Amino acid sequence: MREVIISPSILSADFMKLEDEINSVKRAGVEWIHIDVMDGHFVPNITIGVPVVKSIRKKTDMFLDTHLMIENPEKYIEPFAKAGADLITFHIEACKDEGHVLEVIRLIKSFNKKAGISVKPNTNIKEVFPYLKDLDLVLIMTVEPGFGGQEFIHECAMKIPVLRENSDEKLIIQVDGGINNVTAKICTSLGAGSLVAGSYIYNSENIEKAVENLRK
Ligand code: DX5
Ligand code: ZN
């Protein structure tokens, strides 16, 4: 079985010591960092933008998994790609039609980046089916996007096997929101290949142990 990719969300990290916070998950053997970008329109919160991604890129060789929770994603693909994002995931709900989705995917690919699409809890997973052959990852939100530290919505996890059955094994199924040692197990046993975890990792006393618990 392929190893599960853990992607710690720095939304729950201490921004005054971001470099240390990133290095501590790296020491725990993690290769990805999840960066939550929010614009105050698509979601009711504002977080990290392009300059922060650029600064992170200068300090680490880790894989930068960038989760755009923003309107008009097409306007921001180039800046995030140039800032050093490795994977750019945008929301299907931020797109007006199929042509719009395809345009954003094409843009991401034009910068040689991996492309992901995300679905909110109330979006049917079938909505992503037309794009699967063009995508590297599908992110299934297991909370309403906007804030860290929310409770896992169990029904959302049932999208995982539906997507797994309808996709190539190369497609990474990522889950995000309320992931802890218990919900991680539920998601991986249903077929998730990547787990985003913010508060479970960064609010824990021992980061290495928290990462180890997720791996198990
Ligand atoms: C929520 C973000 C998540 C968030 C997860 O909108 O997309 O990545 O940081 O935080 P936890 O793991 O605390 O639910
Ligand atoms: Zn996220």
Side-chain angles (χ1 to χ4, degrees):
M1 220 178 81
R2 235 187 323 170
E3 198 171 328
V4 172
I5 300 165
I6 295 169
S7 195
S9 165
I10 57 167
L11 190 57
S12 294
D14 180 348
F15 290 157
M16 287 300 280
K17 46 174 188 171
L18 198 48
E19 191 176 0
D20 294 345
E21 297 275 69
I22 291 173
N23 286 336
S24 56
V25 292
K26 190 175 182 182
R27 274 196 302 278
V30 165
E31 287 163 8
W32 286 30
I33 283 289
H34 185 84
I35 304 174
D36 286 306
V37 177
M38 303 187 192
D39 65 354
H41 291 277
F42 182 75
V43 286
N45 196 7
I46 299 178
T47 55
I48 298 164
V50 174
V52 178
V53 175
K54 205 169 169 183
S55 298
I56 295 173
R57 179 76 294 161
K58 283 188 196 144
K59 296 283 184 177
T60 185
D61 58 2
M62 291 176 82
F63 184 88
L64 303 185
D65 159 15
T66 314
H67 179 192
L68 303 185
M69 286 159 274
I70 62 173
E71 284 177 3
N72 307 310
E74 70 287 351
K75 288 191 189 164
Y76 301 95
I77 302 306
E78 178 165 2
F80 279 105
K82 290 190 170 161
D86 293 298
L87 159 70
I88 301 178
T89 299
F90 65 100
H91 270 266
I92 194 162
E93 302 87 358
C95 294
K96 51 183 187 299
D97 54 29
E98 196 169 325
H100 192 183
V101 174
L102 290 171
E103 178 199 347
V104 180
I105 296 173
R106 203 165 42 238
L107 252 173
I108 298 171
K109 294 282 170 185
S110 74
F111 293 100
N112 267 323
K113 305 294 183 179
K114 302 243 183 284
I117 203 163
S118 182
V119 289
K120 297 209 280 186
N122 290 329
T123 300
N124 194 316
I125 194 62
K126 288 192 180 128
E127 304 269 330
V128 307
F129 287 1
Y131 316 107
L132 292 178
K133 63 173 187 335
D134 303 309
L135 294 166
D136 299 288
L137 177 144
V138 173
L139 166 49
I140 295 175
M141 290 301 305
T142 42
V143 298
E144 280 301 332
F147 300 89
Q150 303 181 75
E151 206 170 316
F152 184 80
I153 305 170
H154 281 266
E155 300 83 79
C156 297
M158 294 323 296
K159 293 175 183 173
I160 304 169
V162 178
L163 179 56
R164 195 69 289 170
E165 273 164 32
N166 286 280
S167 59
D168 198 270
E169 60 170 31
K170 286 204 297 286
L171 181 87
I172 299 173
I173 301 178
Q174 185 178 59
V175 284
D176 182 6
I179 298 298
N180 56 35
N181 53 334
V182 176
T183 54
K185 208 170 190 169
I186 296 171
C187 294
T188 51
S189 65
L190 290 170
S194 175
L195 305 166
V196 175
S199 52
Y200 182 72
I201 291 180
Y202 280 113
N203 295 350
S204 75
E205 298 272 288
N206 183 335
I207 287 183
E208 292 200 24
K209 187 134 194 296
V211 169
E212 194 45 44
N213 288 343
L214 290 181
R215 266 212 198 90
K216 277 196 289 199

